[in-house]
Amino acid sequence: MERRKFLKGSALFSGLFALNPIDLVASSQNKKASNGKKAKNIIIMISDGMSSGTLSMADLYSKTILGKSSNWMNLYTQNKVSRALMDTASASSIVTDSAAVSSALGGGIRVKNGVLNIGSNGEIHEPAWQKFKKEGKKAGCVTTVTITHATPAGFCVNSSSRNAEPEIAEMYAGLGFDILMGGGDEFFNAAKRSDKKDIYGLFTKKNYQILKERSDLHGVERGKSILGIFNTGALPYAVDHKNNTSLKNIPTLAEMTKVAIDQMKDHEEGFVLQVESGKVDWAAHANDIAGVIHDQLAFDDAIKVVMDFAEQDQDTLVIITTDHGNANPGIIYDKDATKKFESISKYKFTNEYLLNSITADFNIQQIKDLVNNVNGFSLTDVEAKQLLGFYKGIIKEEGLYNYKHLPFKLFSEIQKKHNSVGWISMDHSGDYVELAMYGPGSELLKPFVKNVDVHKIMMMQSAVK
């Protein structure tokens, strides 16, 4: 009897962990085929601020609620990629910001936090996308935040301050990148800029297609450069975009990514493309679980777009990673942890959207009704009163991207009782992060690397050093 149990258990164990021989052969052939071959194209995908817990929870949510594994995790389970842990430190701290990591990836040097491709002694390091443009490749960036934000900018420009977004928009106009898509109308629109410069006009003179709405993506002229600015500020969070009909004419990250690839894929010298899910980071700063999971899954949709192209093309190095962790969210043990975590599927909007809907003239019952409608659980009177205190000016909550001083931390602590998700902070963390590579050049990836090593691997695919 005990022997039968052992054999049954052994079979189960071997079934769980044995590789399918066909998958193993396919993976080996893929890696063998890429040895020594340089990639014609490079696509680097960055889920900004993605802690490992974010990747795990997005996959678990996808499995339990959507009935399928995430595309990122499928790359692991199907043994399609080289995988590593990456050290994200900057020149000034073991805990980095996006500008410093983007400079490490895009410029090949560790700089101080807040700086773009300028060394500690003022030395200028030419960003990778400028190098590749000189080599004759097309180059582009797409993001869900402002296109002038730290992560895309780190691949494109030099600046002593990541906050110089109006100036970065103007720099882009002079550098001739082929695809720029995201948010940030306030940095291009003369009516919104303090200096009244018409940056859209500079791009128009250079024969760019200017896209403003999702529908514009369907009418692009093939091969022609694109400036797509689809919102003032960042693009909306994925879950808000899905459930708020007024946001429907703003494109998704996957849609922008597909258009970017289609515009550049036939170029004889190849292309380089950066794809960023910037609002994973913003949601983590707000301890906003619906924002984190749904924006990570929107990034995952973009992974499918990229991999569908790369697997067919077989000439593209795909790099999938994050720049740093943020807030390190995770599912906390509870006897009903599974049920509680799955209740997140009832969340119709982000916490930002919900908390922005409350005003100082709300009463306790109105707050309780709103939360029940948006999140599907009931507040106590005490909790509702605590929330109301923020709107009465009794308490203020600070935090990056918390311009309206919304009670993000308090509300996430209330939600934790119902969803079993906890957070260690509301800011970046210094943990090592996930890094995956597919295609020519991926065989160069070692199990543990620094962020600057990714730049080296990209540049090894180039004739320009």
Side-chain angles (χ1 to χ4, degrees):
M1 183 71 174
E2 290 302 312
R3 183 172 180 271
R4 286 197 299 272
K5 286 182 179 178
F6 174 77
L7 290 173
K8 183 178 179 182
S10 298
L12 177 61
F13 184 86
S14 61
L16 283 172
F17 291 94
L19 286 170
N20 184 318
I22 295 175
D23 291 340
L24 184 58
V25 170
S27 175
S28 298
Q29 289 175 340
N30 182 35
K31 290 181 179 180
K32 183 179 179 181
S34 67
N35 283 335
K37 177 184 177 182
K38 287 191 175 183
K40 180 180 178 181
N41 313 309
I42 300 173
I43 303 175
I44 181 167
M45 306 186 70
I46 300 171
S47 178
D48 198 306
M50 188 203 77
S51 299
S52 59
T54 297
L55 179 62
S56 300
M57 288 192 297
D59 184 63
L60 288 168
Y61 185 95
S62 187
K63 286 176 179 175
T64 59
I65 303 304
L66 306 179
K68 59 180 182 179
S69 295
S70 65
N71 294 303
W72 190 331
M73 292 306 297
N74 277 338
L75 295 175
Y76 290 168
T77 58
Q78 295 171 15
N79 196 29
K80 285 188 174 182
V81 293
S82 300
R83 182 185 179 190
L85 285 177
M86 182 173 72
D87 178 350
T88 65
S90 72
S92 56
S93 177
I94 59 173
V95 182
T96 189
D97 80 330
S98 295
V101 179
S102 189
S103 298
L105 299 171
I109 183 174
R110 285 187 164 174
V111 301
K112 294 179 180 179
N113 289 347
V115 176
L116 295 165
N117 296 308
I118 298 178
S120 300
N121 297 315
E123 61 273 27
I124 304 296
H125 293 264
E126 187 175 33
W129 270 208
Q130 291 189 34
K131 291 179 181 179
F132 282 120
K133 278 293 292 181
K134 289 178 180 178
E135 187 180 347
K137 293 186 184 295
K138 290 195 172 184
C141 296
V142 298
T143 181
T144 56
V145 293
T146 55
I147 192 61
T148 48
H149 215 257
T151 301
F155 283 74
C156 299
V157 303
N158 303 92
S159 177
S160 59
S161 174
R162 59 174 287 175
N163 296 322
E165 293 190 70
E167 292 76 14
I168 291 170
E170 194 169 357
M171 289 181 202
Y172 285 165
L175 290 168
F177 297 116
D178 301 275
I179 304 288
L180 295 167
M181 288 193 282
D185 180 66
E186 66 271 36
F187 305 122
F188 296 84
N189 191 331
K192 297 178 181 179
R193 287 176 58 103
S194 59
D195 61 9
K196 303 304 178 184
K197 287 184 179 180
D198 180 12
I199 307 303
Y200 284 125
L202 295 179
F203 280 88
T204 300
K205 288 177 182 177
K206 292 179 179 290
N207 204 32
Y208 277 74
Q209 302 173 81
I210 309 298
L211 312 184
K212 294 293 188 71
E213 297 182 342
R214 185 185 206 171
S215 56
D216 293 340
L217 292 175
H218 304 302
V220 296
E221 185 178 335
R222 285 296 295 272
K224 188 175 178 181
S225 297
I226 290 174
L227 175 66
I229 305 298
F230 302 104
N231 205 28
T232 298
L235 304 191
Y237 285 106
V239 65
D240 296 338
H241 183 265
K242 177 182 177 181
N243 294 315
N244 185 345
T245 57
S246 69
L247 302 175
K248 292 302 182 185
N249 212 17
I250 295 175
T252 66
L253 184 63
E255 290 168 338
M256 292 188 293
T257 299
K258 187 176 189 312
V259 169
I261 292 172
D262 287 345
Q263 285 295 102
M264 299 191 292
K265 67 182 181 182
D266 296 327
H267 186 57
E268 187 175 349
E269 300 299 326
F271 69 88
V272 291
L273 175 67
Q274 184 213 30
V275 178
E276 184 204 16
S277 181
K279 295 198 78 172
V280 170
D281 181 63
W282 293 26
H285 278 299
N287 288 183
D288 191 330
I289 189 59
V292 162
I293 287 179
H294 288 279
D295 269 71
Q296 182 64 33
L297 290 176
F299 179 75
D300 202 64
D301 290 340
I303 289 177
K304 184 179 187 307
V305 170
V306 168
M307 289 303 301
D308 284 350
F309 167 74
E311 288 186 282
Q312 182 178 5
D313 174 69
Q314 288 297 303
D315 212 3
T316 299
L317 171 62
V318 178
I319 303 167
I320 307 173
T321 190
T322 179
D323 49 355
H324 52 73
N326 190 344
N328 288 24
I331 305 169
I332 300 168
Y333 177 78
D334 183 284
K335 64 182 179 65
D336 294 320
T338 301
K339 182 179 179 181
K340 287 184 175 182
F341 178 72
E342 290 175 354
S343 74
I344 297 168
S345 64
K346 298 177 182 177
Y347 293 11
K348 298 176 182 176
F349 297 101
T350 56
N351 293 351
E352 179 178 287
Y353 185 97
L354 186 156
L355 296 172
N356 265 323
S357 301
I358 301 173
T359 61
D361 59 358
F362 266 45
N363 59 41
I364 297 297
Q365 190 58 49
Q366 286 175 308
I367 292 180
K368 293 175 71 174
D369 289 344
L370 176 65
V371 171
N372 190 51
N373 178 55
V374 175
N375 279 179
F377 65 81
S378 298
L379 294 176
T380 65
D381 287 349
V382 171
E383 289 168 340
K385 187 175 181 180
Q386 284 180 305
L387 283 174
L388 190 57
F390 280 81
Y391 300 89
K392 299 290 188 183
I394 300 170
I395 312 170
K396 275 194 174 183
E397 190 172 295
E398 303 298 327
L400 196 61
Y401 307 119
N402 189 8
Y403 310 114
K404 296 185 179 180
H405 304 288
L406 298 172
F408 288 136
K409 183 64 175 176
L410 171 61
F411 193 58
S412 72
E413 289 295 323
I414 292 171
Q415 285 179 318
K416 181 169 68 174
K417 303 171 189 175
H418 302 274
N419 61 29
S420 285
V421 174
W423 310 76
I424 67 162
S425 73
M426 299 183 80
D427 216 332
H428 296 180
S429 54
D431 42 308
Y432 302 144
V433 299
E434 289 285 338
L435 170 63
M437 290 189 184
Y438 171 88
S442 62
E443 73 279 359
L444 300 172
L445 183 63
K446 296 179 180 179
F448 182 76
V449 297
K450 295 180 179 180
N451 42 24
V452 291
D453 295 327
V454 176
H455 177 88
K456 294 173 185 175
I457 291 174
M458 287 195 299
M459 296 316 298
M460 288 177 72
Q461 309 307 303
S462 170
V464 178
K465 298 296 183 280

